[in-house]
Amino acid sequence: MYNIVSKIIAFQRPTTLYIRSQMPINKIRLLILWSCFLTITAYAQDTELDVLSYKLTIEPNIQNQSIEASLLIQFEVADGTEKIALDASNLEIDGVSGTSVLSYNKVGSKLVIELSPQNQTQHELTIEYHGKPKRGLLFNPDLNQAHTVYFTDQWMVCNNQPSDRATFFLNIILPKGMQSIASGSSLGVEDKGEKALHKWHQDYETPPYTYGFVIGSFTEATEQIGDVKLHYYSSELDEYKLKEVFTETANILEFFEQKSGLEYVQDSYSQILIGDNYQEMSGLSVLAKAYPPFVFKDSSEIHLTSHELAHQWWGNMITCEDFGHFWLNEAFAVYMSSAFSEHKFGLKKYQSDIAIYKNIYDDLVKRGKDRPLIFKEWRPSRDNRNVIYYKGAYVLHLLREELGDEAFWKGIRSYSTRYFGKSVKTEDFKLAMEKATSTNLDDFFDTWVYK
Ligand SMILES: [Zn+2]
């Protein structure tokens, strides 16, 4: 059972801090966080299945901590496919219907659907289900709030592979007066008597783990940057304080657009202070309620804002094909966050971040816990997270030193634009960097990434 609290011990000020090995780190600020924590082990991959779209209508009951839902799913399989398996966690299936459905059966966490032999590759079926999600949808009955966090198959039947991108349409049925913030664009709220139907749609494809929503009653602050509306939400801070916490968001967004060579893809980006987690979703991020005091104390401590926003490019749109290449999501988010700090606060701040990452890496080496950035099978542990988040970020720094500033950023732009909206493996990154910079990186990748 998953019960990690992704915690910010972000950049604490005390003079002596300890990493797990009891290695003292004097007078530097230690970042120990695995925001966007992912603790899944590998799901069995069904390479035949390509989901095209999910259309979900969900009614959460916050006091009961339960959901009822109806899902229309369109997918493509090879001609003659007789069976598909979807991830359904501990959801209870009430019915599966569609012209090609022969039968269905819940086997462990999988919903196995038998298809009638038809000469068609595209199918559409409807799944009715209910359940009490334990971790992917977190309820707070006291505050009358709920939010999703990463484990999409806990609240929606799906093919929960990072490589299977699909569009996402979401209807949330809520008591009148509540707010919703979700992936994609809002299509408005329909009056349904005592209830209200909140309609959202995301008409471009991202992996299911990036889908999500937040519901409750919040204070909202907004800013406009070009075509993009920025929304900040909290149930504790006023509008003025919210703008103070997220004051750099517009600058960060512009910086990542410039570094990636790609415009932010949605028409809005929302940040919600809620719960204990830090998690990026498509078009929104949740940040723990414990975050603002760090920013109020030191306005340069905004790594969590920039880390989660970086995932709107590296992670959500340029996605590791499987979790063996997870560093392409997380090390990039960590590194880009430090690159923004350098841009905004100067070289000293960047060097201080890199020193922290190097310390974490040195500590892994000292304890015999260093390992390649690529995993055959991703196993969540503190050390493994430190490898992909912080050794990974340190390796990106070393790559920049190896190539020089101009070539490094040219390579990052080339890689980002080429794989935008696609899945990536480490070799794709290596080849893109080599091609853009006319440099052979065999030795560098052998030393720092593969071995
Ligand atoms: Zn992350």
Side-chain angles (χ1 to χ4, degrees), residues 180-447:
S180 73
I181 306 113
S183 294
S185 303
S186 170
L187 293 175
V189 180
E190 264 179 36
D191 194 323
K192 297 280 177 189
E194 289 183 356
K195 295 178 181 176
L197 182 69
H198 296 238
K199 297 159 81 174
W200 293 85
H201 81 129
Q202 181 186 295
D203 56 7
Y204 63 91
E205 300 187 329
T206 60
Y209 84 85
T210 67
Y211 307 159
F213 61 88
V214 177
I215 53 177
S217 296
F218 307 99
T219 300
E220 179 184 8
T222 61
E223 289 184 81
Q224 188 77 31
I225 168 173
D227 297 335
V228 181
K229 194 159 188 181
L230 303 174
H231 303 257
Y232 318 134
Y233 297 92
S234 165
S235 52
E236 291 175 357
L237 303 182
D238 62 23
E239 210 181 314
Y240 175 79
K241 284 285 180 193
L242 268 171
K243 282 190 175 168
E244 191 181 336
V245 174
F246 295 117
T247 184
E248 287 302 328
T249 306
N251 290 333
I252 297 167
L253 190 139
E254 278 183 336
F255 178 76
F256 292 151
E257 285 188 332
Q258 190 211 335
K259 289 303 179 196
S260 66
L262 294 156
E263 279 189 7
Y264 176 70
V265 74
Q266 306 214 25
D267 58 13
S268 71
Y269 178 63
S270 298
Q271 295 173 99
I272 306 102
L273 293 164
I274 189 171
D276 302 319
N277 299 298
Y278 297 88
Q279 179 69 50
E280 83 282 10
M281 296 171 237
S282 181
L284 70 153
S285 294
V286 291
L287 296 101
K289 285 200 289 190
Y291 178 49
F294 292 96
V295 184
F296 294 145
K297 197 172 170 192
D298 180 344
S299 60
S300 71
E301 305 297 17
I302 51 162
H303 281 75
L304 290 165
T305 301
S306 49
H307 179 115
E308 304 309 340
L309 186 44
H311 278 310
Q312 299 296 323
W313 286 264
W314 302 281
N316 293 4
M317 295 308 295
I318 304 154
T319 313
C320 62
E321 188 172 279
D322 59 59
F323 287 105
H325 301 274
F326 190 24
W327 80 285
L328 296 175
N329 290 17
E330 293 304 341
F332 270 71
V334 174
Y335 185 76
M336 291 302 166
S337 162
S338 293
F340 175 75
S341 287
E342 178 188 11
H343 166 75
K344 174 74 191 181
F345 305 111
L347 187 61
K348 248 186 164 173
K349 174 80 175 163
Y350 171 81
Q351 286 170 334
S352 148
D353 285 2
I354 299 302
I356 293 169
Y357 309 152
K358 184 176 183 306
N359 265 314
I360 294 173
Y361 166 66
D362 288 344
D363 176 62
L364 288 164
V365 172
K366 200 194 273 177
R367 292 185 298 109
K369 299 293 183 186
D370 179 33
R371 48 151 300 138
L373 290 175
I374 299 172
F375 284 70
K376 266 192 185 146
E377 198 172 329
W378 166 242
R379 292 282 173 208
S381 72
R382 184 190 179 98
D383 286 332
N384 286 348
R385 285 194 192 89
N386 279 342
V387 167
I388 58 163
Y389 279 71
Y390 301 115
K391 176 188 173 183
Y394 179 54
V395 167
L396 288 173
H397 162 76
L398 294 176
L399 182 60
R400 182 173 159 188
E401 298 231 299
E402 173 93 6
L403 292 169
D405 264 19
E406 201 183 324
F408 175 79
W409 289 114
K410 184 183 169 199
I412 292 292
R413 265 194 307 281
S414 171
Y415 162 71
S416 303
T417 50
R418 173 157 184 200
Y419 290 103
F420 195 66
K422 298 191 174 80
S423 300
V424 280
K425 301 186 295 296
T426 299
E427 195 64 11
D428 299 326
F429 173 55
K430 174 176 177 278
L431 291 173
M433 293 302 283
E434 286 184 331
K435 196 173 168 202
T437 62
S438 305
T439 310
N440 183 312
L441 292 170
D442 285 348
D443 286 349
F444 183 91
F445 273 71
D446 281 347
T447 305

